[in-house]
Amino acid sequence: MMQLFAWLEGTGLSTWIREADTVWAYPTVLTLHTIGLGVLGGAAAILDLRLLGIGGRAPLAPMRTLFRLMWAGFWINAVTGALLFAADATERGTSWLFFFKMVLVGIGVVTVVLIRRAVDESGENAVMVSGAARRLAIISLVVWTAAVTAGRLLAYV
Amino acid sequence: MDLVNVAHLHLLLNHFPTIGTVVGLGLLLLAFARRNDHLVRASLEVFFLIALLTLPAYLTGVAAQTVVQGRAGVSDAAITAHQNAALLAFLLMEVTGALAWFGLWQSRRNSRPGRSTLGTVLLLSVVTVVLMGRAATYGGEISHPEIRISADAPPVEDALAVGTRWLGTASISGAVAAYPWVWPAAECLHFIGLCLVFGLLLTVNLRLLGFMRGLSFASLHRLLPWGIMAFAVNLMTGMLFVISAPEQYTENGPFYWKVALLGLAGVNFLYLTVFDKNWALREGDEPRPLDRALAGAAIMLWVGVIYAGRMLPFIGNAF
């Protein structure tokens, strides 16, 4: 495994991202990762808060657009995250905090899929969802908050 | 950015909070005397806009400090006294501005602001006027020795300065230095706040761009106070960074861009609640071209804020 990480870290692309003296390398990848975080975490938070009844009873069906935003944010961050990982593979690959963050992101994605299903099943004119979906919204809020926290702390631990 | 210009910019900007709060308070009193709701809203708008301008006024002051510190006739004690007075006035101004915005939000929903909101804004704005005047007085003493009682003596600290020393910049940066977890914890909060502010304004502005037409603007307008609360978290954590490591920001190009973009985004945020046309957008309605243009601009502004913030260490010199 370490050999794989070392190879990954040594590829031309990884070296360029890590070492190139240009704003288009590491800084831009990291900034895109932050914008993706804002889109994914933000859209998820708005939908979760709405499912929990915070901010009124807007109809749910049109809010399904938020899922497209979440997936857009997710894919931006999957790609930029993979690049950031490749640039520091030996360090990130052996970090418990990074592993923990990946588990949190995994759970977060599962909650998005399950919440999507619950919103779809609630029908076109629904303003409320089941208690189970509201519990999922709470889990989603907690997990995304923890994932953002873990990611931010990677810079300090 | 040229530092001499920043000191100059501070002299230019610092008059807005001092005079603007007086204008806002005057309008509010006039509105009460005439029982005029339009004047009430105008005064609340003034308070919000002045709260926006107070941010660059404070931050250019931090930068101006690096310019004048150490010059003959400029005492460190005078600068510290001004800075602590300014921080206190800034805090009160931001709370006043946020509550004024909340009053506008209420008047949009219920046709008039809540009585308790107006009463609190009135009370807070009186306190803010006093604190701004006090900060301005301490500021004047830095480079106007002629107004000092004695040419050599340090400025006389009033009881408020002694009582609020715990809230001074020295104690804040001291706490950040003493507890290494404070900075990372504030960074985490700053990013969580970023998610909420950005997600909320992205959703609202996407509706104004013509997406999610099944939602009325009013239903999304309900969410806006959450944006203010999340922004308050980011303003507080952001100020913590600037106060405890000013040298990372005062000579940092992207930081000035970030503050300028935030100001424009703030004006756009006010527009979301004070203009009638977007409020009238019902379920299924098509937004007007002007709303679309402003919504597109707002999303770009917030992306710009994130971009400038994230680029602080790379284009600029933070960390």
Side-chain angles (χ1 to χ4, degrees), chain A residues 73-155:
Chain A
F74 172 78
W75 284 113
I76 293 172
N77 276 21
V79 172
T80 53
L83 292 173
L84 292 170
F85 178 84
D88 286 308
T90 51
E91 200 186 316
R92 294 283 179 256
T94 52
S95 153
W96 63 269
L97 186 60
F98 180 80
F99 184 72
F100 184 53
K101 178 183 167 180
M102 287 303 102
V103 171
L104 290 169
V105 170
I107 300 172
V109 169
V110 172
T111 64
V112 170
V113 172
L114 292 177
I115 290 172
R116 165 94 214 211
R117 195 172 296 166
V119 170
D120 283 347
E121 282 168 3
S122 64
E124 277 303 308
N125 300 313
V127 288
M128 280 317 283
V129 287
S130 64
R134 283 203 291 272
R135 279 190 289 279
L136 272 173
I138 294 173
I139 295 170
S140 165
L141 279 175
V142 171
V143 165
W144 287 124
T145 305
V148 170
T149 305
R152 189 63 275 222
L153 289 179
L154 279 173

Side-chain angles (χ1 to χ4, degrees), chain A residues 23-24 26-28 30-31 34-35 37-39 41-43 45-46 49 54-60 62-63 65-66 68-69 145 148-150 152-153 156, chain B residues 183-185 187-188 191-192 194-196 198-203 206 211-216 219-220 222-223 226 283 303 306-308 310-311 314-315 319:
Chain A
V23 82
W24 297 105
Y26 188 79
T28 296
L30 192 60
T31 300
T34 309
I35 291 169
L37 169 156
V39 174
I46 298 302
L49 290 173
I54 292 163
R57 291 171 156 260
L60 277 172
M63 291 190 109
T65 304
L66 291 172
R68 275 196 272 165
L69 277 183
T145 305
V148 170
T149 305
R152 189 63 275 222
L153 289 179
Y156 299 98
Chain B
W183 187 291
E187 286 277 5
C188 291
F191 273 62
I192 292 163
L194 174 161
C195 275
L196 281 172
F198 186 67
L200 178 61
L201 287 160
L202 190 62
T203 308
L206 280 176
F211 297 94
M212 296 185 279
R213 284 192 200 166
L215 296 173
S216 64
S219 64
L220 289 170
R222 280 190 86 117
L223 291 168
W226 289 83
E283 294 177 11
V303 169
I306 297 176
Y307 177 83
R310 190 60 276 195
M311 283 296 182
F314 303 114
I315 300 178
F319 312 97

Side-chain angles (χ1 to χ4, degrees), chain B residues 21-286:
Chain B
T21 45
V22 176
V23 172
L25 180 57
L27 275 177
L28 192 57
L29 293 173
L30 195 64
F32 287 153
R34 291 191 181 169
R35 299 175 189 281
N36 184 325
D37 286 346
H38 288 290
L39 273 179
V40 169
R41 284 204 290 275
S43 81
L44 296 178
E45 286 159 14
V46 166
F47 281 129
F48 182 81
L49 291 171
I50 295 300
L52 286 184
L53 278 168
T54 305
L55 181 64
Y58 183 90
L59 295 171
T60 51
V62 179
Q65 179 183 12
T66 57
V67 177
V68 299
Q69 204 158 35
R71 283 198 187 167
V74 173
S75 89
D76 284 355
I79 293 178
T80 307
H82 170 50
Q83 203 170 33
N84 288 344
L87 182 60
L88 202 60
F90 170 82
L91 279 176
L92 261 291
M93 183 70 244
E94 295 312 299
V95 176
T96 309
L99 260 176
W101 176 87
F102 187 65
L104 289 167
W105 181 83
Q106 285 177 318
S107 65
R108 175 51 85 200
R109 307 200 72 82
N110 314 321
S111 83
R112 62 175 352 140
R115 278 172 179 280
S116 52
T117 313
L118 275 187
T120 319
V121 168
L122 178 65
L123 193 73
L124 283 173
S125 61
V126 171
V127 178
T128 310
V129 165
V130 173
L131 290 178
M132 280 295 173
R134 178 173 166 267
T137 306
Y138 275 125
E141 288 189 12
I142 295 173
S143 52
H144 288 280
E146 71 275 15
I147 68 168
R148 285 185 213 147
I149 294 166
S150 152
D152 304 319
V156 185
E157 282 201 315
D158 55 25
L160 187 60
V162 177
T164 55
R165 203 170 279 153
W166 60 274
L167 197 67
T169 51
S171 71
I172 292 173
S173 52
V176 172
Y179 305 101
W181 54 266
V182 172
W183 187 291
E187 286 277 5
C188 291
L189 285 174
H190 203 71
F191 273 62
I192 292 163
L194 174 161
C195 275
L196 281 172
V197 172
F198 186 67
L200 178 61
L201 287 160
L202 190 62
T203 308
V204 174
N205 284 301
L206 280 176
R207 172 63 184 95
L208 291 176
L209 269 176
F211 297 94
M212 296 185 279
R213 284 192 200 166
L215 296 173
S216 64
F217 181 79
S219 64
L220 289 170
H221 182 267
R222 280 190 86 117
L223 291 168
L224 291 181
W226 289 83
I228 285 271
M229 282 189 277
F231 186 74
V233 171
N234 278 27
L235 186 63
M236 281 191 281
T237 48
M239 290 299 285
L240 182 99
F241 301 140
V242 176
I243 287 168
S244 45
E247 69 286 352
Q248 293 191 3
Y249 301 94
T250 54
E251 293 177 55
N252 200 326
F255 184 65
Y256 290 96
W257 280 107
K258 181 172 178 177
V259 175
L261 293 172
L262 271 177
L264 292 175
V267 175
N268 185 275
F269 189 76
L270 183 65
Y271 151 84
L272 287 178
T273 212
V274 297
F275 276 78
D276 298 328
K277 291 283 164 57
N278 47 10
W279 175 253
L281 220 56
R282 299 190 178 285
E283 294 177 11
D285 282 357
E286 178 121 1

